[in-house]
């Protein structure tokens, strides 16, 4: 998934100055990190994945209301892979 972090940055720019959008973006990143890098050092659970899916849906709905295109839509497995890639690219400081 090339450019996952870059796409997140693009969508975040669309929401610049939007307090609600900024909070939803923070919530989404936290949900990604909670799923990919759980505090117990294990793997993400169905609970963290469900939370991630709900948070991503909420973020996408807000972006669409603001006239943008949603960030990512997929099956639970695809969302988990997307979150892993986004987290890895942020960790490695790779926007694209």
């Amino acid at each position: 998934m090339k450019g996952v972090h870059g796409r997140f940055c693009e969508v975040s720019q669309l929401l610049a100055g939007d307090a609600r959008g900024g909070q939803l973006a923070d919530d989404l990143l936290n949900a990604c990190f909670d799923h990919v890098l759980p505090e117990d050092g294990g793997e993400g659970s169905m609970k963290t994945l469900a939370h991630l899916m709900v948070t991503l849906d909420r973020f996408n709905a807000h972006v669409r209301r603001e006239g943008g295109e949603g960030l990512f839509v997929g099956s639970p497995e695809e969302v988990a892979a997307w979150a892993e890639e986004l987290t890895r690219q942020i960790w490695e400081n790779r926007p694209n």
Side-chain angles (χ1 to χ4, degrees):
M1 288 184 201
K2 185 177 179 185
V4 173
H5 183 207
R7 175 74 179 126
F8 180 81
C9 291
E10 287 173 5
V11 173
S12 296
Q13 296 262 324
L14 173 72
L15 301 175
D18 176 356
R20 177 70 178 143
Q23 182 61 55
L24 290 169
D26 287 348
D27 292 348
L28 179 57
L29 287 176
N30 286 329
C32 284
F33 298 153
D34 289 347
H35 181 67
V36 175
L37 305 168
E39 289 184 15
D40 65 6
E43 293 185 11
S45 66
M46 292 305 293
K47 182 178 176 182
T48 60
L49 180 56
H51 177 68
L52 173 59
M53 300 274 306
V54 168
T55 306
L56 179 58
D57 286 345
R58 220 177 288 138
F59 182 80
N60 282 337
H62 185 79
V63 170
R64 287 186 194 107
R65 278 192 301 274
E66 296 299 313
E69 183 180 323
L71 186 59
F72 183 81
V73 177
S75 68
E77 294 81 13
E78 291 168 329
V79 169
W82 173 85
E84 289 172 13
E85 186 63 17
L86 176 61
T87 301
R88 186 182 65 77
Q89 288 181 12
I90 290 171
W91 186 266
E92 294 174 356
N93 195 24
R94 286 188 24 220
N96 292 312

